[in-house]
Amino acid sequence: MTVTPIPRGSYAAAEPDEWRIYAVCRDADPDLFFPDESTTAQRRASVEHARRHCNQCPVARTCLDQAIARGENFGIWAGHDFKDSAVRTRFQQETQAA
């Protein structure tokens, strides 16, 4: 399947999950975005590896919006570690203020 690149930013999809076909992570191992809790140093390295994918993604904002809407509590979404409750709270407050 050939996927046409789209501009960075939010993607208004015709179908709810259509944006995922443009995601850089679509072919990556899902475990990359759900690092284990082995050690702090290993987790930090895993999170940074996932963020490198996210930093290149044209639909990162849509990914973030969807994670917030679903109330995700775990995983790396648009380069943000949702295991950190401060991250979740900050984005939820921004969404409510908008």
Side-chain angles (χ1 to χ4, degrees):
M1 169 171 74
T2 303
V3 176
T4 304
I6 63 169
R8 288 187 69 83
S10 192
Y11 174 69
E15 298 294 323
D17 287 335
E18 181 182 355
W19 63 272
R20 291 175 189 248
I21 65 172
Y22 298 104
V24 170
C25 64
R26 73 183 171 275
D27 296 323
D29 181 352
D31 289 341
L32 173 63
F33 301 94
F34 296 92
D36 65 15
E37 303 301 316
S38 46
T39 69
T40 301
Q42 289 173 329
R43 180 176 172 70
R44 194 174 299 130
S46 295
V47 169
E48 286 306 313
H49 187 201
R51 283 182 176 150
R52 285 194 292 276
H53 279 75
C54 298
N55 287 341
Q56 300 173 18
C57 189
V59 291
R61 182 65 216 196
T62 303
C63 174
L64 178 61
D65 292 342
Q66 292 293 315
I68 293 166
R70 287 189 308 270
E72 293 289 351
N73 290 319
F74 302 101
I76 310 303
W77 301 96
H80 301 280
D81 188 354
F82 272 60
K83 181 178 184 285
D84 183 346
S85 62
V87 169
R88 293 191 312 269
T89 300
R90 184 178 86 226
F91 287 119
Q92 289 166 350
Q93 288 173 345
E94 287 177 10
T95 301
Q96 292 169 356

